[in-house]
């Protein structure tokens, strides 16, 4: 397989035809078909709601599959090379590399074969396997492994220093600050619970967060203190980034998460975002990394094998399992609120019944006391004692019901507030 691919490279390397044409030529795909024949068996389609969201790589014969984490937003299935579609569960996530480990109920699966930890040289040919023994796409290593930093988020405001703290002097159109309702002359007093007294302090806090993150602000507007939640933008978005994104996307859609990786191997393979998550292999069919993002018009990123392999044990162990999704949280909160509302109604009804019984018992106790005073015998006194005990028992039950009602009501308000916060 490697010899066939190398033969093609040698025969066509001096022909001045655009590389995109050469890579889609039948001669090319035929040559690389043998290269990807084995790794194709270790490749799966990751389906979200029945549609392909990513590719995945079988890394353990017992049903463990590595893929791109940020594309997994819904019910998951994996389609194997033999056609089977099996339900998948996320058992581990590494947010630094945007990798997720899936688990399916299957055994004796064909695991990927890893290349040596050393990264392939710049100029080396790579192929991305599909499920049909043909390459999804072919490319060349462009840049040696390097870090891709995540851009810091910005609010989209200009600040001046005020005696009371950083004062907003300008709000940029289309920014998260504008959408959150921030206004000129607002004074920011805290950010995410941290008090700020200077413009530099506020800038330092905001720069710790990424575009798309939300930040809670306390502001003074005149003499009134209000709280707002603003979504952060990127500098590119506020500086004509839409035009840049448009130019980059002329070669195809870009991945939503395409920055903030500790190390990546950059290559010029043309991939769709839903074709990331699978292995990228050398001419020997060995995986040199996991495709993680379509970065721009001419670049795709892969997490190199030297970074992937040390993560596998922890990702499979379950200790990196993700928390519940927002939808799961909403569903759980809705169920809890429904249960608490029924509890409040039940305790309210119980309390009303007890209060009614208590009134009757108190009246009966008064009548017994009056009868005892007139009769002045042991039987009358015993009747008073029993009436008093019944009244005390009802008073205690009513107090307990009142306490339970107050507790259920407070808990209901708490979970209703959490629902509002989750929606925001």
């Amino acid at each position: 397989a490697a010899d066939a691919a190398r033969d093609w490279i040698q025969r066509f390397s001096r022909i001045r035809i655009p590389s995109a044409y050469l890579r889609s030529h039948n001669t090319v795909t035929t040559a690389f078909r043998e290269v990807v024949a084995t790794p194709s068996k270790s490749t799966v389609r990751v389906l979200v709601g029945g549609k392909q969201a990513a590719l995945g790589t079988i890394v353990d014969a017992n049903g463990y599959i590595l893929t791109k984490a940020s594309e997994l937003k819904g019910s998951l299935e994996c389609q194997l090379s033999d056609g089977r579609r099996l339900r998948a569960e996320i058992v581990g996530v590494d947010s630094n590399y945007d990798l997720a480990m899936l688990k399916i109920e299957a055994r004796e699966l064909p695991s990927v074969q890893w290349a040596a930890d050393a990264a392939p040289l710049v100029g080396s040919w790579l192929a991305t396997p599909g499920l049909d023994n043909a390459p999804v796409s072919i490319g060349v290593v462009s840049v040696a492994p390097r870090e891709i930093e995540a851009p810091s988020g910005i609010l989209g405001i200009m600040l001046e220093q005020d005696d009371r703290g950083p004062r907003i002097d300008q709000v940029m159109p289309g920014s998260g600050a504008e959408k959150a309702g921030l206004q000129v002359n607002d004074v920011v007093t805290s950010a995410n619970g941290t008090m700020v007294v200077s413009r530099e302090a506020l800038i330092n806090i905001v720069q710790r967060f990424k575009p798309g993150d939300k930040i809670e602000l306390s502001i003074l507007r005149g003499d009134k203190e209000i709280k707002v939640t603003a979504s952060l933008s990127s500098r590119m978005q506020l500086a004509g980034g839409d035009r840049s994104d448009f130019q980059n996307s002329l070669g195809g859609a870009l991945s939503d998460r395409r920055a903030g990786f500790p190390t990546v191997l950059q290559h010029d393979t043309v991939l769709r975002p839903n074709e990331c998550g699978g292995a990228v292999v050398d001419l020997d069919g060995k995986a040199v990394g996991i495709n993680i993002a379509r970065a721009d018009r001419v670049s795709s990123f892969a997490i190199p094998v030297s970074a992937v392999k040390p993560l596998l044990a922890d990702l499979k162990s379950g200790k990196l399992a993700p928390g519940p999704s927002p939808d799961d949280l909403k569903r759980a909160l809705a169920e809890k609120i429904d249960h608490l509302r029924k509890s409040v109604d039940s305790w309210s009804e119980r309390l009303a019944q007890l209060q009614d019984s208590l009134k009757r018992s108190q009246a009966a106790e008064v009548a017994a006391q009056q009868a005892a005073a007139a009769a002045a015998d042991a039987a009358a006194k015993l009747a008073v004692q029993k009436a008093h005990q019944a009244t005390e028992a009802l008073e205690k039950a009513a107090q307990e019901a009142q306490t339970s009602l107050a507790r259920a009501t407070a808990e209901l308000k708490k979970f209703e507030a959490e629902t509002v916060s989750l929606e925001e």
Side-chain angles (χ1 to χ4, degrees), residues 331-347:
R331 194 159 38 248
L333 282 172
E335 291 174 357
K336 184 68 173 178
I337 287 171
D338 182 63
H339 171 74
L340 286 170
R341 282 176 178 160
K342 291 177 180 177
S343 180
V344 167
D345 291 343
S346 175
W347 281 115

Side-chain angles (χ1 to χ4, degrees), residues 97 114-119 145 263 287-290 303-311:
Y97 286 103
W114 299 105
D117 286 353
T263 181
V288 299
I290 299 295
I303 308 302
V305 63
S306 59
V308 172
K309 288 172 67 176
L311 302 174

Side-chain angles (χ1 to χ4, degrees), residues 266-290:
Q266 180 176 323
H267 53 100
D268 66 356
T269 304
V270 177
L271 296 172
R272 299 183 182 91
N274 67 359
E275 293 169 340
C276 295
V280 58
V281 303
D282 60 18
L283 295 182
D284 293 318
K286 302 291 182 64
V288 299
I290 299 295

